[in-house]
Amino acid sequence: MPRTYVVTGAASGIGLATAELLAERGGRVIGVDLHDADVNVDLTTAEGRADLVSGVADASGGRIDAIIANAGLALPVAKTAAVNYFGTLATLEGLRPLLADSPAPRAVATASMASLFPPDDALLDAFLAGDEPAAMARASELEAGPPEQGNLIYGTTKRALVRWIRRNAPGPDWAGAGIPLNAIAPGVVETPMTEAYTGTEEARTAILEMVPMPLNGIFQPRDAAYLLAWLTSEENAHLCGQVVFIDGGSDAVMRGDSTW
Ligand SMILES: NC(=O)c1ccc[n+]([C@@H]2O[C@H](COP(=O)([O-])OP(=O)(O)OC[C@H]3O[C@@H](n4cnc5c(N)ncnc54)[C@H](O)[C@@H]3O)[C@@H](O)[C@H]2O)c1
């Protein structure tokens, strides 16, 4: 029987490349996005998150094998907090029961190398407390502030997400249920999200100064898709709470000896 994968953010970029790759390999893919997907929902809203679960349950017949929680925004606006953190958690937690009958259940989220950037502590605390109203209030303050404040939102969503993954992956809901839960942390990938940073040689040089990628530089979404596909394959039975940096070396350059 083919494996059934749910991919959020499937209409564009890394999600689209992943959906295409899995389908080419014979998988059954249920794409989720705001538009142009099998299940069209807005992951920033309670209604959209509920419709995600019912829509995927209907489309799958109530059984899936893998969750790829990938949808996201990188704008310096409060909405980024809603989709990247709470929308991703709603995806993972809401769809987890549908993994129960899979012989090889898997889950992965798309974080970012931006999780290495200094976070906004108040926003990070609100995320980790699971307090969406407080997080949205703080994110709105950052959005209204000078650009350097709004720019903290994205990295903070990804820092909180990787913390949540590491805290929860070894626990009863995931490892205890036989589900490897991990994250990928891409460097700069050429997608509509990063067009402003990758569209010209000048922009590419500038972004690579901030995000050093000595191994093969800026890459294509298909290259991230290969890793997402492996992490959600039957072959991955023992990775637990890992944040796999697919970043051309930015983690190794920036964190050096401090991490292994
Ligand atoms: N492109 C990069 O360099 C890069 C680097 C690190 C991490 N990422 C992460 O990879 C993931 C995919 O990004 P991408 O580069 O493919 O971007 P993208 O903009 O090409 O695709 C993101 C998709 O998410 C969807 N989405 C956004 N808000 C949504 C919502 N509220 N509800 C449902 N769907 C929503 C969008 O409609 C879009 O189709 C994101 O989580 C992003 O943060 C990207």
Side-chain angles (χ1 to χ4, degrees):
M1 192 152 74
R3 283 171 69 69
T4 300
Y5 300 84
V6 178
V7 180
T8 71
S12 177
I14 295 171
L16 177 61
T18 306
E20 288 173 350
L21 176 67
L22 293 168
E24 279 168 33
R25 290 179 172 179
R28 182 178 170 218
V29 178
I30 299 171
V32 178
D33 209 301
L34 286 169
H35 47 72
D36 300 318
D38 302 300
V39 178
N40 295 307
V41 293
D42 181 350
L43 292 170
T44 63
T45 68
E47 190 194 359
R49 295 168 191 165
D51 290 349
L52 162 76
V53 177
S54 57
V56 170
D58 287 350
S60 65
R63 205 208 89 166
I64 62 174
D65 297 288
I67 306 165
I68 299 176
N70 165 80
L73 286 176
L75 300 171
V77 300
K79 211 172 206 190
T80 297
V83 60
N84 289 16
Y85 187 74
F86 295 105
T88 302
L89 266 55
T91 302
L92 293 168
E93 293 183 311
L95 299 181
R96 182 170 40 78
L98 300 178
L99 292 170
D101 292 332
S102 171
R106 307 285 182 260
V108 66
T110 304
S112 172
M113 68 68 59
S115 59
L116 299 179
F117 295 148
D120 177 73
D121 289 332
L123 181 57
L124 184 62
D125 288 349
F127 281 140
L128 294 176
D131 188 340
E132 190 161 2
M136 295 311 294
R138 178 59 185 158
S140 298
E141 280 174 16
L142 294 171
E143 177 182 342
E148 61 272 20
Q149 285 195 8
N151 289 337
L152 293 172
I153 296 172
Y154 180 71
T156 306
T157 66
K158 299 299 189 179
R159 176 77 69 101
L161 177 59
V162 297
R163 286 263 178 92
W164 187 90
I165 297 272
R166 288 186 63 78
R167 288 178 183 184
N168 285 274
D173 289 345
W174 298 95
I179 309 168
L181 170 65
N182 298 284
I184 69 163
V188 183
V189 188
E190 212 167 316
T191 71
M193 178 180 279
T194 55
E195 211 173 343
Y197 305 107
T198 59
T200 65
E201 268 320 304
E202 204 180 2
R204 293 167 86 92
T205 304
I207 193 73
L208 287 172
E209 269 167 28
M210 203 166 101
V211 181
M213 297 176 66
L215 178 66
N216 295 329
I218 295 169
F219 58 92
Q220 295 301 310
R222 180 96 173 182
D223 295 308
Y226 292 130
L227 180 57
L228 289 167
W230 186 79
L231 287 166
T232 50
S233 72
E234 287 157 306
E235 290 179 356
N236 172 26
H238 301 283
L239 256 69
C240 178
Q242 295 302 303
V243 180
V244 184
F245 280 76
I246 174 164
D247 64 350
S250 58
D251 171 47
V253 171
M254 291 168 72
R255 290 201 292 186
D257 286 352
S258 72
T259 310
W260 59 90

